[in-house]
Amino acid sequence: MVLILITYDVNTETAEGRARLRKVAKQCVNYGQRVQNSVFECIMDSGKCREVKHILEQIIDEDKDSLRFYYLGNNYANKVEHIGAKKSFDMEGPLIV
Amino acid sequence: MVLILITYDVNTETAEGRARLRKVAKQCVNYGQRVQNSVFECIMDSGKCREVKHILEQIIDEDKDSLRFYYLGNNYANKVEHIGAKKSFDMEGPLIV
């Protein structure tokens, strides 16, 4: 199991864009922990990673939206640092601090 | 030089919040490449990292805003994956794909 960070920018100028944003967020909560509005930390194996990537690719508009994946490996405890407020998003697991 | 990802959520419900958001972004562009609205990739040494962290800590409201740092090490070429649009932010250097 490795830590994979998913970050996204979805263009919300249109109603379609706002719908895509909601769908992306809704899918991501199935795979990890929402740590900021558009940032999810997912501890998963490569199969789950392919799965979520495939799902998100179907949702976004590749001409307008941006998705990025950061692979932080399995030794991730010291690779994340937090400063400031922790908002209460829908929690799926413990928050990495 | 290592890759450090800076992500932030600044509460923009108030004019003060929106001012903080602008200040955070303005500082981050001095240290790295804006890859999404609230995501910067910074290739820097530990001194610069301490510097930007100190500056950002002074700007944010720790009760309302969230700052996260992800340390991706020096072997980062294969740790980042991008899908979709690349917006033209103010570029400070080459975009890691």
Side-chain angles (χ1 to χ4, degrees):
Chain A
M1 303 284 266
V2 296
L3 174 61
I4 297 165
L5 194 72
I6 304 176
T7 70
Y8 54 84
D9 252 357
V10 172
N11 186 314
T12 55
E13 285 166 11
T14 63
E16 290 78 11
R18 291 187 288 277
R20 292 198 304 277
L21 182 67
R22 282 193 299 274
K23 283 183 199 164
V24 167
K26 200 175 163 187
Q27 286 301 325
C28 286
V29 296
N30 295 327
Y31 292 90
Q33 166 74 44
R34 190 173 207 164
V35 293
Q36 289 179 344
N37 258 319
S38 303
V39 179
F40 282 79
E41 291 178 3
C42 309
I43 295 166
M44 55 190 176
D45 60 26
S46 56
K48 280 280 170 197
C49 183
R50 274 194 302 275
E51 189 181 289
V52 66
K53 210 182 291 181
H54 180 74
I55 290 171
L56 297 180
E57 279 177 6
Q58 310 300 309
I59 297 171
I60 67 159
D61 179 333
E62 295 208 1
D63 294 327
K64 293 180 182 153
D65 309 327
S66 159
L67 259 184
R68 286 175 87 84
F69 297 85
Y70 295 92
Y71 299 92
L72 286 130
N74 57 3
N75 187 16
Y76 47 78
N78 298 318
K79 293 181 183 164
V80 187
E81 190 176 349
H82 179 87
I83 297 170
K86 286 200 176 68
K87 293 187 198 160
S88 53
F89 294 109
D90 288 340
M91 297 297 181
E92 289 285 311
L95 193 64
I96 295 167
V97 288
Chain B
M1 304 284 265
V2 296
L3 175 61
I4 297 165
L5 194 73
I6 304 176
T7 70
Y8 54 83
D9 252 357
V10 173
N11 185 313
T12 55
E13 285 166 10
T14 63
E16 290 78 11
R18 291 187 287 277
R20 291 197 305 277
L21 182 67
R22 282 193 299 275
K23 283 182 199 165
V24 167
K26 200 175 163 186
Q27 287 300 325
C28 285
V29 296
N30 294 327
Y31 292 89
Q33 165 74 43
R34 190 174 206 163
V35 293
Q36 289 178 343
N37 259 319
S38 303
V39 179
F40 282 78
E41 291 179 1
C42 309
I43 296 166
M44 55 189 175
D45 59 25
S46 56
K48 280 282 171 197
C49 183
R50 275 194 302 274
E51 189 180 288
V52 66
K53 209 182 293 180
H54 180 73
I55 289 170
L56 297 180
E57 280 178 10
Q58 309 300 309
I59 297 171
I60 68 159
D61 180 333
E62 297 207 3
D63 294 328
K64 293 180 182 153
D65 309 327
S66 159
L67 260 183
R68 287 176 86 84
F69 297 85
Y70 294 92
Y71 300 92
L72 286 129
N74 57 2
N75 186 16
Y76 47 78
N78 298 318
K79 292 182 183 164
V80 187
E81 190 176 349
H82 180 88
I83 296 171
K86 286 199 176 71
K87 293 188 196 159
S88 53
F89 293 110
D90 289 340
M91 297 296 180
E92 290 284 311
L95 193 65
I96 295 166
V97 288

